[in-house]
Amino acid sequence: MPDRILVTRSSMPSMEEYMEEIKEMWDTHWLTNMGPKHKSLQEKLKEYLSVEAIDLLTNGHMALELSLQALDVKGEVITTPFTFASTTHAIVRNGCTPVFCDIREDDFTIDASKIESLITERTAAILPVHVYGNVCEIETIHSLAEKYHLKVIYDAAHAFGVWYKGKGIGSFGDVSCFSFHATKVFNTIEGGAVCFADEAFGRRIYQLKNFGIRGPEVVDGVGANAKMNEFCAAMGLCNLRHVDGEIAKRKKVVEHYMERLDGVRGIRLNPRQDGVVPNYAYFPVLFDERVFGASRDEVFEALAKENIRARKYFYPLTNTFDCFHGMYDANLTPVALRVSQRVLTLPLYADLAIADADRICDIILKCKRQ
């Protein structure tokens, strides 16, 4: 049996580079609470992402959850079911009601043309998701938010390093939230960030991530503990030095997949968006069983038999989760439902060998029966 290939693998610096980065911590004993590594990473990310302001948190989920709280969002939040559990759960854990909008078939992002019909007097915000690094219909979403006085919180977990029309993707919306989980293009082992422009929001998010503490002797709010520690920040400092090179390596793998799979009947690949500088975060493939001759699940199993772990991502839709049983009808988001039943994300990471990408494509193409 060949070595196992996972859907992703964490980018890491050399052990020597990381050890050098954390060495001074044995002198300072400063391990958390917005230490020098945290502050340095925050400044470097602000520059790299080209955003007005940024704060670091313990993970991407807390970035979403606390951003909704900091913006005092109450009522209904229009979002997409084609996302990771975190997006929907952040809404629900704030006591808000998710209202699910369907997605665009071509790029898997929320269908902005369908948002307005879902707006009611209870709507407080829109929470779109940049899926697989594909950028949402930003102009339409911004126009609707202005028209109806809604907050916009972007889930940008997939979009680190993406640029749209010359601007860093984190500069859009009231807030853009990133995940720096180990599986992402850029990781801090575990971590997240919020990007914003409003100073009042910045003060509020800082308070919420630090137990509601306003000052050394003032605690005038109730908060969580969502501070990034120094070890994670140090990993981020190391990985940030190499992230452009890692993205370039990912691009080569994506281009090879495209060479092998583009034009195959019954297969649809991720599009290249106009005005977008991509980050090559994921390689989703949609299988049309009627044309390809094999279902997504059959391809998944064929790869698994060869020790290759692709991922049904995103499946199931969040509006079909057991914890929301009977509350939502996935048939009201038919495009998202159809895509979720056909999509498979193939292994993609900077160090994936082209020979392994070829083997993955060979297995997929052997599944084709027509």
Side-chain angles (χ1 to χ4, degrees), residues 76-107:
E76 296 177 349
V77 178
I78 296 173
T79 189
T80 167
F82 193 69
T83 185
F84 186 59
S86 175
T87 314
T88 304
H89 290 182
I91 295 168
V92 174
R93 283 173 57 83
N94 270 280
C96 298
T97 302
V99 174
F100 293 107
C101 181
D102 211 352
I103 64 172
R104 289 161 49 93
E105 187 130 26
D106 60 343
D107 63 18

Side-chain angles (χ1 to χ4, degrees), residues 342-353:
R342 296 180 178 183
V343 70
L344 192 67
T345 53
L346 303 187
L348 175 58
Y349 45 89
D351 295 329
L352 183 67

